[in-house]
Amino acid sequence: MSILRPGDEKFHYSDGSHRWIPPNPEYDQEVWDEQVRQHKHGHLRNERPKVRIQRLV
């Protein structure tokens, strides 16, 4: 489960899904896409690995 930080609200709908279209219709879509990509990457940095890795010795 990811954590929403202050300022993340603009990237999410009320159901928690990500906004793929900018809230302002005059906003540059390519810029918005990059911001959403970076935002989603932030979610991944805060997640714990889903698989436990064991080293073979």
Side-chain angles (χ1 to χ4, degrees), residues 27-37:
Y27 202 85
D28 186 331
Q29 181 68 48
E30 289 183 26
V31 172
W32 180 256
D33 290 343
E34 178 60 21
Q35 289 178 334
V36 171
R37 186 191 70 75

Side-chain angles (χ1 to χ4, degrees), residues 5-52:
R5 296 176 304 266
D8 284 352
E9 302 85 18
K10 69 180 182 179
F11 296 111
H12 292 268
Y13 290 109
S14 60
D15 67 355
S17 62
H18 285 97
R19 291 182 182 262
W20 297 107
I21 298 172
N24 180 349
E26 295 179 14
Y27 202 85
D28 186 331
Q29 181 68 48
E30 289 183 26
V31 172
W32 180 256
D33 290 343
E34 178 60 21
Q35 289 178 334
V36 171
R37 186 191 70 75
Q38 290 179 16
H39 167 76
K40 289 181 70 179
H41 185 70
H43 282 308
L44 295 174
R45 280 193 309 252
N46 294 325
E47 281 190 46
R48 296 180 135 201
K50 292 182 172 75
V51 179
R52 186 171 183 189

